[in-house]
Amino acid sequence: MPRPITSTIDISAMRANLAVAKAHAGAASVWAVVKANAYGHGLANALRGFDAADGMALVEPDAAVRLRELGWRKPVLLLEGFFDRQDVETVSTHSLDTVVHCREQLAMLEAFPLRNRIDVHLKINSGMNRLGFRPDEIAAVHARLRALPGVRQIVLVTHFANADDEANPAMPMAEQVRRTRLAAAGLDAPLSMCNSAADLLHAELAERWVRPGVMLYGGTPGVKTAAQFGLRPAMTLTSRLIAVQQIVAGDAVGYGSRFLAPRAMRIGVIACGYADGYPRHAPDGAPVLVDGIRCALAGRVSMDMMTVDLSAAPAAGPGSEVTLWGAGLPVDEVAQAAGTIGYELMCAVAPRVAVAVREDEQKQ
């Protein structure tokens, strides 16, 4: 028998979350962002869950090819573009859309005769200061791309630093919008600006394409909970208790003896640790469901096990079902307790964790 830890992927929840994204996007087309193995949910599952998307977007050229091999015929976009000449050939051969964000990529495109015409997404650095050309460079770069016979459509794309915090004083969202529109002025090129947060909170910016990511998997991009946005968890990580220890006041639990029992209590041992993707830095008190009852982490997470205070679940024992996150326990709540974000937890689930797939319309 395998270890009793499973990541269950809910295809119907993925479809429902995509429907929320599309409803907010209006007439805009929707890229389903599936980078990092679809945020840990699996590319094959993403094909099923997001079959109604207008395209899929990711950063890994090999995964883009895999989407084609799995039968996806709609557009595929490389969000970081290509990394070398061989990738340019891959883009051409498999008819991929690609971001162009720097002069080196532009030069490679100019030097490589594309077999198939492709759409290029020209990246504007509107204030995120990761990738992209300055707004005052866009017109000249656009002209060079327009001169290439292998380039079909050019889309102008930018990424918001603070779509969930639009008044951020270091980079207000409105300033990024202003810079983007300035760069686009006079160019015959559609725009793509919205990530998950902007799609949910700023429908007026939907333009030609939106690029939802975390919301498709039932995570919140901020401001509200996922449930308040109408999103459902697409991943539920479950395990079981494998042992129970009866300890007395003053007993310590786990590596570093971080947790000291304030009274006599029962400690449950869960078959899940940081080698499964649960954050080692999670503090005492982080929420865990045992037999559907909210309990609290007690002691440092180790490689293969973690320990919880069973005071709230006196009937629990070896074999009791545990939910680490997902249905009944939002991943974002667990992430907040651990000082991280839901994105990281979903992406970090380890290959050794068994995966189950469900596809029904039951609400979570």
Side-chain angles (χ1 to χ4, degrees):
M1 294 290 291
R3 287 175 72 236
I5 180 168
T6 302
S7 172
T8 300
I9 306 303
D10 187 339
I11 302 298
S12 65
M14 297 169 78
R15 289 180 176 144
N17 295 336
L18 176 63
V20 173
K22 291 172 75 72
H24 282 267
S29 298
V30 177
W31 292 111
V33 178
V34 296
K35 59 185 178 177
N37 195 30
Y39 288 49
H41 293 66
L43 281 180
N45 294 326
L47 282 177
R48 295 167 61 190
F50 306 141
D51 55 354
D54 300 292
M56 293 200 179
L58 69 179
V59 300
E60 307 92 347
D62 57 335
V65 173
R66 180 64 179 149
L67 285 175
R68 292 294 191 222
E69 292 171 346
L70 289 169
W72 184 258
R73 294 293 172 257
K74 298 180 190 179
V76 176
L77 171 63
L78 292 173
L79 291 166
E80 292 178 356
F82 43 86
F83 304 101
D84 55 31
R85 181 185 174 94
Q86 183 177 350
D87 290 337
V88 180
E89 185 171 0
T90 297
V91 166
S92 178
T93 300
H94 295 279
S95 299
L96 307 178
D97 289 16
T98 182
V99 161
V100 169
H101 62 75
C102 64
R103 295 191 177 280
E104 291 77 11
Q105 288 179 332
L106 178 60
M108 277 190 275
L109 266 190
E110 290 175 326
F112 187 86
L114 297 171
R115 299 179 189 177
N116 301 301
R117 298 187 74 204
I118 63 169
D119 290 349
V120 170
H121 295 243
L122 175 55
K123 190 68 173 279
I124 303 168
N125 178 8
S126 61
M128 185 76 160
N129 288 315
R130 293 191 310 187
L131 303 178
F133 296 90
R134 298 190 315 270
D136 61 359
E137 298 176 302
I138 291 298
V141 177
H142 182 275
R144 288 173 64 178
L145 287 170
R146 189 72 285 159
L148 298 178
V151 172
R152 188 171 48 220
Q153 184 181 58
I154 301 171
V155 178
L156 300 180
V157 58
T158 197
H159 192 68
F160 293 129
N162 301 300
D164 59 339
D165 181 21
E166 59 183 294
N168 187 295
M171 178 44 64
M173 184 176 165
E175 175 59 17
Q176 286 196 261
V177 173
R178 186 193 71 81
R179 294 179 186 182
T180 299
R181 297 206 183 282
L182 180 65
L187 299 179
D188 181 20
L191 282 171
S192 172
M193 292 189 284
C194 291
N195 54 8
S196 287
D199 180 55
L200 290 168
L201 300 170
H202 299 281
E204 74 280 4
L205 299 177
E207 296 289 343
R208 174 64 180 84
W209 285 94
V210 298
R211 307 182 309 277
V214 71
M215 67 175 292
L216 300 181
Y217 306 96
T220 179
V223 181
K224 298 179 182 179
T225 66
Q228 287 172 326
F229 282 125
L231 303 171
R232 293 166 49 189
M235 173 193 289
T236 298
L237 184 65
T238 58
S239 185
R240 292 190 179 276
L241 295 184
I242 59 173
V244 173
Q245 295 291 339
Q246 182 72 53
I247 63 175
V248 300
D251 278 354
V253 178
Y255 285 120
S257 302
R258 183 181 73 184
F259 180 83
L260 296 175
R263 61 187 180 280
M265 59 196 308
R266 297 169 73 241
I267 295 293
V269 182
I270 301 170
C272 177
Y274 60 76
D276 300 297
Y278 197 92
R280 181 181 181 273
H281 57 272
D284 295 338
V288 176
L289 298 183
V290 180
D291 287 338
I293 301 168
R294 184 174 289 251
C295 297
L297 185 68
R300 183 167 293 154
V301 176
S302 56
M303 181 179 288
D304 310 302
M305 291 172 279
M306 52 191 287
T307 45
V308 290
D309 176 2
L310 294 178
S311 298
S320 288
E321 184 168 301
V322 173
T323 298
L324 287 314
W325 63 70
L329 183 60
V331 66
D332 300 295
E333 184 178 347
V334 178
Q336 184 176 20
T340 184
I341 54 178
Y343 303 66
E344 182 178 13
L345 299 190
M346 291 186 283
C347 292
V349 175
R352 75 175 185 172
V353 174
V355 177
V357 180
R358 57 178 291 181
E359 187 170 6
D360 58 50
E361 297 305 321
Q362 179 181 346
K363 296 290 184 180
Q364 297 296 320

